[in-house]
Amino acid sequence: MSIETDFPHTAGVTTLVRFSLRRERWILPWWLAGMAALMALQSTSSQNFYDSPEKLAQLRSTMSANAALVAMGGPTRLLETIGGEVLFEIFAYLAIVVALMNMFLIGRNTRSDEEAGRTELIRSMRVGRRAPVLAALGIAVLANTAVAVVLTVTSAVTGLALEGSVLFGLAIAGFGMTVAAATTVAAQMYENPRGVYGAVSALIALAYILRAVGDVGNDAVAWASPIGWGQRTYPFVDDRWWPLLLFVVMSAALISVAFVLAERRDFGAGVFRYRPGRGTASRLLSSPVGLVWRVQRATVIGWCIGVFVLGGAYGSFADSIEQFLADNPDIATYLPDASDAVDSYHSLTLSIIALLAAACGMSCVLRARSEEASGRAEMVLAAPVGRVRWLAGYVVVAMAGSALVLVVGGLGDGLAYGVTIGDPLQALRLAASALAYAPAVWVIVTVTAVVVGVARRAAAVAWLYFGYVAVCVMFADAFDLPEWFDSASPWRYTASVPLEPFDLGRGLILLAVVAGLAGIAFAGCRRRDLAY
């Protein structure tokens, strides 16, 4: 007897799951491959660095004495074994990656489809009222099962204990399923995907902060965070299984709430309705740049807040870097010049902040692609607005937004460092230093504009280029990659400020590249057909 016969509201679930699987067949493998690569790199590098009990004990002593490192990593109890040390370094970051994967997966298959009208078409067929939500959750179950398998296999293959590997994979997958359930609730509460993503992102950030506060201070606070539940399974240390039940109970409760809300709200609406708009539009909306900024400002502000917090975490550790290098000399491999450890560390952290600023700029430009696909761009272009002005609006906002993220990230880095050494001017010094990366960041922004302008369906090319640059910035020295490997990365032609002085000549060359790429993007946008 089929599920559809017993529960009419679920009719069509299996068909929708197959449809969603086909839709996600290119996206999910990239998420899984990224998580496997992160885990493999961290596992192999940690086992190489801390290959003796003495080195591990020294690391535990250093880490335990620094509250900022504990807040970024997790409970120091994990540092009792090499497997636990691997998770201390990477568990929280993998949890965020799997959380984002689930947030976008559920949002794309629920609220985005409903906003675009696809769900209405589906429900006009023999499909039950609950079927779209159930199908999205079914895909999330399959995706998180794949996450558990991939992380378990990667951990075990790189030399970690099998039991701990299984527990680790299930803990990450359990957190991912909890976020998927929370996103399902948010999809019933907000009328557009941006509201859903904003609310779930805030929950993920809250979970990370509660975990950090609990790890540094009262352990009970960490139990208010699902990330804390996962870390307190203590894989490779105690192999504690019972916290996994918390994920099951929380997911079941959230899914129940989602179905109650779905039954009671109007189709196409959310629990929270849009506020009435103003009677007259602001003059700011009379230009493409003003319109794009109005649409993108929440995204840019969100990036600024996140990068400021990250910069603060980096800066709070800067004063301890020399002692850290004395205890762990192998870490010097990651720094451009270990003889000036503090500024080398700042140049490394600013380059990572610049990567995040580039990601912010990319997301702004790629918004043009989604506006075109949804048909809203046609309404703008029906007004006396040329295609070049339309695309230029996104590029200008992306450049300004990424520069703002750079400054705010440098400010957070310098502010935290300045507080620890009693020098408030460090905030201004590092905020100005961060701007030196702006030309390199804008190269990535305009590469994305070229993709959108010439062939918007090839957006993956922009993300591939970003991934290549990220590998060059973070792993080229540590893994002794060939000299030519980072030749196509704009970071190679940027001075390592504040370790080195800003090179005006290199900056101008990068700006010339930016101008050339922008010209190609605008020319492509003028010549191609819309929606292609």
Side-chain angles (χ1 to χ4, degrees):
M1 186 174 291
S2 68
I3 294 176
E4 288 82 353
T5 302
D6 287 338
F7 305 101
H9 285 310
T10 65
V13 168
T14 52
T15 301
L16 290 179
V17 168
R18 287 200 298 271
F19 170 75
S20 297
L21 272 178
R22 178 176 175 78
R23 181 188 193 184
E24 303 290 340
R25 68 187 186 284
W26 298 114
I27 301 174
L28 282 177
W30 282 106
W31 284 102
L32 297 172
M35 282 185 266
L38 284 174
M39 184 61 199
L41 287 171
Q42 186 62 56
S43 179
T44 52
S45 61
S46 287
Q47 291 182 71
N48 288 332
F49 280 144
Y50 312 113
D51 54 358
S52 68
E54 293 76 18
K55 289 184 178 179
L56 193 59
Q58 184 61 57
L59 176 74
R60 186 163 58 247
S61 174
T62 304
M63 293 284 193
S64 302
N66 192 301
L69 285 178
V70 174
M72 292 173 65
T76 53
R77 190 173 172 185
L78 285 171
L79 296 171
E80 294 177 5
T81 66
I82 186 60
E85 195 281 333
V86 173
L87 300 194
F88 180 88
E89 300 276 2
I90 203 170
F91 190 102
Y93 300 111
L94 278 178
I96 291 174
V97 172
V98 79
L100 293 177
M101 182 193 81
N102 279 277
M103 180 183 76
F104 290 124
L105 180 66
I106 295 293
R108 197 163 45 240
N109 285 278
T110 54
R111 179 50 70 178
S112 292
D113 279 351
E114 193 167 330
E115 184 187 46
R118 287 187 288 269
T119 304
E120 187 174 9
L121 285 175
I122 290 171
R123 288 180 56 173
S124 67
M125 307 299 288
R126 295 174 59 84
V127 172
R129 183 181 179 86
R130 297 178 181 176
V133 175
L134 271 176
L137 288 169
I139 292 294
V141 169
L142 294 174
N144 287 300
T145 302
V147 167
V149 171
V150 165
L151 292 181
T152 298
V153 171
T154 305
S155 302
V157 167
T158 54
L160 301 180
L162 180 59
E163 183 177 359
S165 299
V166 173
L167 180 56
F168 161 58
L170 289 175
I172 290 288
F175 176 64
M177 199 59 222
T178 303
V179 174
T183 308
T184 309
V185 174
Q188 314 308 314
M189 300 184 73
Y190 295 92
E191 291 188 347
N192 61 72
R194 292 183 297 283
V196 175
Y197 295 150
V200 177
S201 297
L203 286 176
I204 296 170
L206 179 63
Y208 187 90
I209 292 170
L210 288 173
R211 176 211 61 75
V213 171
D215 291 338
V216 175
N218 188 344
D219 187 69
V221 178
W223 284 102
S225 163
I227 301 178
W229 303 345
Q231 287 182 323
R232 276 152 184 76
T233 57
Y234 293 119
F236 310 110
V237 179
D238 287 344
D239 290 336
R240 186 191 286 173
W241 293 84
W242 67 263
L244 297 179
L245 290 174
L246 296 174
F247 293 122
V248 176
V249 172
M250 179 58 76
S251 299
L254 288 170
I255 290 170
S256 300
V257 171
F259 280 122
V260 170
L261 295 176
E263 293 290 340
R264 297 187 177 185
R265 71 177 173 88
D266 291 335
F267 180 76
V271 174
F272 299 139
R273 301 295 183 92
Y274 286 124
R275 292 178 300 176
R278 297 169 50 178
T280 57
S282 164
R283 292 186 62 184
L284 183 67
L285 296 178
S286 62
S287 70
V289 173
L291 177 61
V292 175
W293 170 248
R294 177 66 180 82
V295 173
Q296 291 291 96
R297 64 182 179 182
T299 302
V300 174
I301 291 171
W303 276 99
C304 286
I305 294 172
V307 172
F308 180 81
V309 172
L310 181 66
Y314 283 149
S316 62
F317 177 66
D319 193 38
S320 306
I321 187 65
E322 291 181 339
Q323 182 60 45
F324 191 65
L325 284 177
D327 295 339
N328 306 276
D330 292 337
I331 301 297
T333 310
Y334 288 102
L335 299 178
D337 182 2
S339 61
D340 188 351
V342 173
D343 276 348
S344 288
Y345 173 76
H346 282 309
S347 69
L348 178 63
T349 56
L350 289 182
S351 64
I352 295 173
I353 287 172
L355 275 177
L356 296 175
C360 171
M362 287 182 67
S363 69
C364 288
V365 177
L366 289 174
R367 181 60 188 268
R369 169 178 170 268
S370 61
E371 291 293 301
E372 184 181 341
S374 67
R376 289 189 290 268
E378 292 182 29
M379 290 185 280
V380 176
L381 292 170
V385 175
R387 294 186 182 194
V388 171
R389 285 186 66 204
W390 171 73
L391 183 58
Y394 288 93
V395 174
V396 169
V397 171
M399 286 182 166
S402 57
L404 183 62
V405 171
L406 272 174
V407 172
V408 171
L411 194 66
D413 194 346
L415 193 62
Y417 176 56
V419 168
T420 58
I421 66 170
D423 181 5
L425 293 179
Q426 291 294 329
L428 295 178
R429 183 177 81 97
L430 292 181
S433 298
L435 272 179
Y437 286 93
V441 168
W442 292 344
V443 169
I444 292 187
V445 168
T446 46
V447 165
T448 309
V450 169
V451 172
V452 173
V454 175
R456 70 168 181 88
R457 293 174 184 271
V461 174
W463 285 112
L464 284 174
Y465 182 62
F466 176 81
Y468 158 76
V469 174
V471 169
C472 293
V473 172
M474 301 178 70
F475 303 114
D477 292 333
F479 291 95
D480 198 22
L481 296 176
E483 183 71 19
W484 53 264
F485 184 81
D486 62 348
S487 299
S489 167
W491 267 246
R492 174 170 177 166
Y493 309 102
T494 303
S496 299
V497 291
L499 182 64
E500 301 172 352
F502 175 66
D503 190 325
L504 180 61
R506 292 184 186 180
L508 290 175
I509 291 173
L510 287 176
L511 288 177
V513 173
V514 168
L517 289 170
I520 295 172
F522 297 147
C525 187
R526 289 183 63 186
R527 293 179 182 178
R528 73 171 170 85
D529 292 335
L530 284 179
Y532 285 93

